[in-house]
Amino acid sequence: MVEDVFHGLDWVQSNIGAYGGDPENIFLLGQSAGAHLGMLSVLVNAVCYRNLKANKELNFVPNFKPSKIRAFVGISGPYDMIKFGPHFHERGLGPEILNSVFGCRSGASDKEINEHLQCLSPTKIFQSNLLPPGTVELIPPLIFCHGKVDKVSRSNSSY
């Protein structure tokens, strides 16, 4: 799904001028799952650009430069997939569904699942120092909004 976001951003950067937009002034906004994917895309793009090579999970290097995104706005996003799991399960979606949604290998151990979900959790990526040196400088300003009574994506999975 992150690859789909990259394709969309590549298209916007290439075509926004034809619609009267400024390719040097792009803001990325996502809500709920879109906030998670948007934030993950910002991080992966910065890492790819920093390393100047494709991420192992992707089949290409994003064409857009991180500096083209002026800011990211995340609304009601789950940014910690490990904290999000119990809420997901409370809503009747068992661990196998969460694992499938996030591409965990069938039959993976709890430790392997936890490590996989950590790599898909922007908050864990920042906390675990998984970003290579020089990557943080490539990340645009980040703005997060979250309601405390959100029943779909609880605020505790946002930090």
Side-chain angles (χ1 to χ4, degrees):
M1 286 189 249
V2 170
E3 194 171 315
D4 292 336
V5 175
F6 286 154
H7 285 300
L9 287 170
D10 285 344
W11 186 91
V12 168
Q13 184 178 333
S14 298
N15 294 285
I16 194 169
Y19 294 90
D22 180 357
E24 301 294 322
N25 199 23
I26 297 171
F27 287 74
L28 180 60
L29 180 135
Q31 192 269 330
S32 194
H36 173 254
L37 285 171
M39 184 66 234
L40 202 54
S41 297
V42 165
L43 292 175
V44 171
N45 184 48
V47 170
C48 287
Y49 193 79
R50 172 74 174 110
N51 293 338
L52 296 175
K53 62 181 181 179
N55 182 293
K56 290 179 185 176
E57 299 292 321
L58 303 173
N59 295 322
F60 71 104
V61 176
N63 291 326
F64 66 96
K65 295 179 183 177
S67 62
K68 299 289 183 181
I69 299 176
R70 292 291 178 214
F72 167 76
V73 180
I75 302 170
S76 302
Y79 305 107
D80 185 330
M81 302 325 295
I82 295 165
K83 284 184 181 176
F84 187 66
H87 173 65
F88 204 74
H89 306 324
E90 287 172 13
R91 300 186 71 76
L93 302 166
E96 65 284 348
I97 305 254
L98 180 69
N99 296 344
S100 175
V101 166
F102 290 104
C104 296
R105 183 179 56 79
S106 179
S109 69
D110 288 344
K111 181 181 180 206
E112 290 172 316
I113 291 169
N114 196 45
E115 288 172 357
H116 183 76
L117 292 177
Q118 180 171 323
C119 290
L120 297 175
S121 300
T123 54
K124 298 294 185 191
I125 291 169
F126 278 112
Q127 293 167 357
S128 304
N129 295 319
L130 292 174
L131 296 173
T135 304
V136 172
E137 294 80 9
L138 297 172
I139 297 171
L142 307 172
I143 302 163
F144 300 100
C145 307
H146 207 296
K148 288 186 176 184
V149 295
D150 187 332
K151 293 180 181 174
V152 176
S153 179
R154 291 185 180 155
S155 62
N156 76 334
S157 66
S158 289
Y159 54 87

